[in-house]
Amino acid sequence: NAGVTQTPKFQVLKTGQSMTLQCAQDMNHEYMSWYRQDPGMGLRLIHYSVGAGITDQGEVPNGYNVSRSTTEDFPLRLLSAAPSQTSVYFCASSYLPGQGSHEQYFGPGTRLTVT
Amino acid sequence: AQTVTQSQPEMSVQEAETVTLSCTYDTSESDYYLFWYKQPPSRQMILVIRQEAYKQQNATENRFSVNFQKAAKSFSLKISDSQLGDAAMYFCAYRSGLAGANSKLTFGKGITLSVRP
C-alpha cells in the first residue's frame, strides 16, 4: 500500500495564480480531509469529505475548493493564491467513525509559498 | 465545539531520561478518541499512541504511555528512556467517535521536544 500520497512536495506561486494540490489514498477510506499547518497554530481543517460526491467546509475554507469524484482522490484547488496561503498542507484519510480504526493517516505534506 | 490545549510550547529532556508532555481538552461528548502525533523535521505526521475514551486502561506503546484522566479531561504523554530520535514536535488531537458527526481531528498547537545528548 502506498498509503496517502500528495503532490507536489514543494510549490512556489505568484499572487493571483491558481493551482491544484493532489491527494490520493489506496486504503478505501471514506473520510478524507485537508489541513493547513502554520507556525504556532497546529493543524486547521480546510475541507473534508465523507465519501465520493460529498464535501463540506472546515474551519478555514476561504480561498480553497475541493471535489471528490472518486473514493481515492481528493484534490485541493487554490483559486487565486494569496500570501496568506503560504503554509504546509496535509491531506489525511481514515475510516468513518464506527467503521474501523479512528486514526487518520497523513500524506507527506506540501510546502506552498506564495510571493 | 471541542478544544485541545497544549500549554507548553517547548520542552527539553536529557537522553535516557523520562519526560511528560501535557494536554487538556474540552468536550461534552462521551464517545471520543485521543491521539498523540509526532512530527519530526521531515514533517511527516506519525501516530504515536491513541486512547479510546471508553477504555479505563491507559494506552502504552513501547517507551510511550499516556496518563488519561477522563474526569479532568487530561491526556498526557510520557516518553521513557528518551532517545535523540524522539526530538520532534508533538501534537495532541481529539476526534469524535459519533457516527455522522464531523470526523475531523482537532489539534493542539503542538510542543517542540528537544533531547540533549
Side-chain angles (χ1 to χ4, degrees):
Chain A
N1 282 356
V4 180
T5 58
Q6 286 183 241
T7 55
K9 285 193 167 55
F10 300 93
Q11 183 71 49
V12 179
L13 290 178
K14 293 187 187 316
T15 298
Q17 287 184 319
S18 62
M19 78 159 296
T20 299
L21 306 183
Q22 300 292 342
C23 175
Q25 52 91 11
D26 61 359
M27 295 173 281
N28 204 30
H29 288 160
E30 291 293 336
Y31 184 84
M32 296 186 73
S33 56
W34 278 100
Y35 296 87
R36 60 176 289 171
Q37 181 180 15
D38 302 294
M41 302 291 289
L43 279 75
R44 294 179 293 167
L45 183 67
I46 304 172
H47 285 286
Y48 68 98
S49 168
V50 296
I54 307 169
T55 64
D56 205 346
Q57 297 181 349
E59 302 170 60
V60 288
N62 292 340
Y64 307 95
N65 270 357
V66 292
S67 60
R68 183 97 179 268
S69 56
T70 66
T71 300
E72 293 78 21
D73 300 298
F74 190 45
L76 177 72
R77 296 182 186 83
L78 280 71
L79 308 173
S80 177
S84 60
Q85 294 179 303
T86 292
S87 188
V88 178
Y89 292 83
F90 287 96
C91 179
S93 74
S94 74
Y95 293 108
L96 293 173
Q99 295 184 1
S101 166
H102 287 72
E103 68 183 89
Q104 291 197 10
Y105 296 81
F106 285 81
T110 296
R111 180 176 294 279
L112 175 69
T113 303
V114 183
T115 61
Chain B
Q2 295 78 25
T3 58
V4 177
T5 302
Q6 295 178 255
S7 57
Q8 308 152 303
E10 296 178 350
M11 287 196 72
S12 181
V13 63
Q14 190 75 34
E15 192 176 8
E17 293 189 347
T18 295
V19 64
T20 297
L21 310 183
S22 300
C23 173
T24 59
Y25 60 96
D26 190 26
T27 185
S28 59
E29 296 176 336
S30 58
D31 184 12
Y32 55 88
Y33 298 78
L34 296 165
F35 305 89
W36 279 97
Y37 281 88
K38 172 185 177 181
Q39 187 180 43
S42 67
R43 79 168 176 252
Q44 178 69 51
M45 295 289 286
I46 301 165
L47 179 68
V48 175
I49 199 165
R50 69 166 168 262
Q51 175 78 45
E52 294 86 345
Y54 62 83
K55 289 187 178 178
Q56 292 186 339
Q57 187 172 4
N58 289 328
T60 61
E61 286 287 342
N62 301 313
R63 297 184 295 107
F64 298 88
S65 61
V66 299
N67 183 5
F68 175 47
Q69 301 289 328
K70 190 172 184 178
K73 296 180 181 172
S74 170
F75 182 61
S76 60
L77 175 69
K78 185 171 82 171
I79 306 174
S80 303
D81 185 25
S82 297
Q83 300 175 359
L84 295 178
D86 294 334
M89 181 162 279
Y90 288 82
F91 291 96
C92 179
Y94 169 103
R95 189 178 195 192
S96 172
L98 298 176
N102 180 345
S103 303
K104 70 172 185 176
L105 278 175
T106 300
F107 286 89
K109 293 185 177 181
I111 177 169
T112 300
L113 177 67
S114 58
V115 181
R116 304 186 302 275

